[in-house]
């Protein structure tokens, strides 16, 4: 299986590039943010819990996310691979992902780190908030999410370097140009 972790700060373009990767490599997509937003929309218990955290720019507790991830992963049948978008976001999640894959005779093939400067992230997310009305894309919540990214999520860069899975991608440029760089990285695995 081709198991890709797509990584980056909020607004780095994980969702956009994931769609292209899914189409080209015919793999399944797990976006934890999309899963949570669907739960909120459907008014489930999980959705109610998640909304409290998301509106504050905080992460959902690891135990909850790890269970959700395993159940979505196991729902894919005869999968050629998976792109993990928005997961892992903490070291505990990265360890859980590794264990979950090992238990299934799999591993992470590569971690793609989409790097985008902070001022560009702010600009993109504020624009997305205006266009799509995503409740957490307002200036105050974006700032909190970026702080959470730096403190809880960015340490995964060194963690994946230690695993020898790390691949840097320049996330500034045209969507096509960034996608071409991603394909180069994936094809060289
Ligand atoms: P991007 O714009 O690059 O897709 P994002 O940070 O804007 O990234 P999502 O990945 O959609 O957006 O996540 C939205 C929110 O959902 C997060 O701020 C967080 O509260 C929650 N969330 C998503 N994935 C996780 C996770 N793995 N662990 C904990 N909370 C999560
Ligand atoms: Mg997203």
């Amino acid at each position: 299986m081709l198991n890709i972790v797509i990584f980056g700060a909020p607004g780095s373009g994980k969702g956009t590039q994931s769609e292209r990767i899914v189409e080209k490599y015919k793999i399944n997509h797990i976006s934890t943010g999309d899963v949570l937003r669907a739960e909120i929309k459907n008014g489930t218990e999980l959705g109610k819990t998640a909304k409290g955290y998301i509106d504050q720019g905080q992460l959902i507790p690891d135990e909850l996310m790890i269970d959700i991830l395993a159940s979505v992963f196991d729902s894919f049948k005869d999968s050629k691979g998976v792109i993990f978008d928005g997961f892992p976001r903490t070291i505990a999640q990265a360890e859980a992902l590794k264990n979950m894959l090992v238990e299934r005779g799999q591993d992470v093939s590569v971690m793609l780190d989409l790097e985008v400067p902070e001022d560009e992230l702010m600009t993109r997310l504020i624009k997305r908030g205006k266009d799509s009305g995503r409740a957490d894309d307002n200036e105050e919540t974006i700032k909190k999410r970026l702080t959470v990214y730096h403190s809880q999520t960015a340490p995964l860069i060194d963690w994946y370097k230690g695993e020898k899975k790390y691949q840097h991608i320049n996330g500034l440029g045209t969507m096509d140009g960034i996608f071409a760089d991603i394909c180069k990285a994936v094809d060289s695995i």
Side-chain angles (χ1 to χ4, degrees), residues 42-173:
N42 295 330
T44 64
E45 279 309 308
L46 170 59
K48 283 176 200 154
T49 306
K51 189 173 177 349
Y53 291 98
I54 291 177
D55 288 351
Q56 294 302 313
Q58 300 299 322
L59 298 180
I60 277 72
D62 285 335
E63 317 79 68
L64 197 56
M65 284 315 302
I66 290 164
D67 287 349
I68 296 170
L69 186 93
S71 78
V72 178
F73 184 86
D74 288 332
S75 73
F76 300 139
K77 298 283 169 243
D78 302 320
S79 180
K80 288 179 66 179
V82 174
I83 181 152
F84 297 92
D85 162 8
F87 189 103
R89 261 180 156 92
T90 62
I91 302 268
Q93 291 182 13
E95 284 168 349
L97 175 62
K98 184 177 176 176
N99 293 337
M100 183 196 82
L101 290 174
V102 167
E103 281 167 14
R104 291 158 179 78
Q106 297 295 324
D107 68 353
V108 167
S109 312
V110 68
M111 182 266 220
L112 304 171
D113 177 22
L114 275 176
E115 200 190 1
V116 176
E118 196 108 350
D119 54 343
E120 170 71 11
L121 294 171
M122 280 303 292
T123 308
R124 288 185 190 178
L125 292 169
I126 287 169
K127 180 173 188 301
R128 187 170 76 185
K130 288 192 181 125
D131 296 345
S132 74
R134 223 176 94 171
D136 58 344
D137 285 342
N138 64 77
E139 194 160 345
E140 196 193 335
T141 312
I142 295 165
K143 285 192 178 138
K144 285 192 201 150
R145 285 156 61 204
L146 289 173
T147 305
V148 167
Y149 170 78
H150 288 297
S151 61
Q152 301 192 51
T153 307
L156 288 174
I157 292 172
D158 280 340
W159 195 87
Y160 277 106
K161 282 181 181 166
E163 296 279 304
K164 306 264 181 282
K165 305 290 184 191
Y166 181 84
Q167 184 71 54
H168 177 264
I169 303 284
N170 180 3
L172 257 193

Side-chain angles (χ1 to χ4, degrees), residues 11 13-16 29 31-34 37 85-86 89 128 134:
K14 298 184 292 281
T16 307
H29 183 197
S31 161
T32 45
D34 288 350
R37 282 185 288 277
D85 162 8
R89 261 180 156 92
R128 187 170 76 185
R134 223 176 94 171

Side-chain angles (χ1 to χ4, degrees), residues 14-44:
K14 298 184 292 281
T16 307
Q17 295 297 335
S18 292
E19 283 176 26
R20 293 171 179 231
I21 295 168
V22 163
E23 202 183 325
K24 174 166 169 138
Y25 295 97
K26 312 282 180 228
I27 59 178
N28 294 105
H29 183 197
I30 301 180
S31 161
T32 45
D34 288 350
V35 170
L36 296 171
R37 282 185 288 277
E39 296 284 336
I40 293 171
K41 196 163 165 252
N42 295 330
T44 64

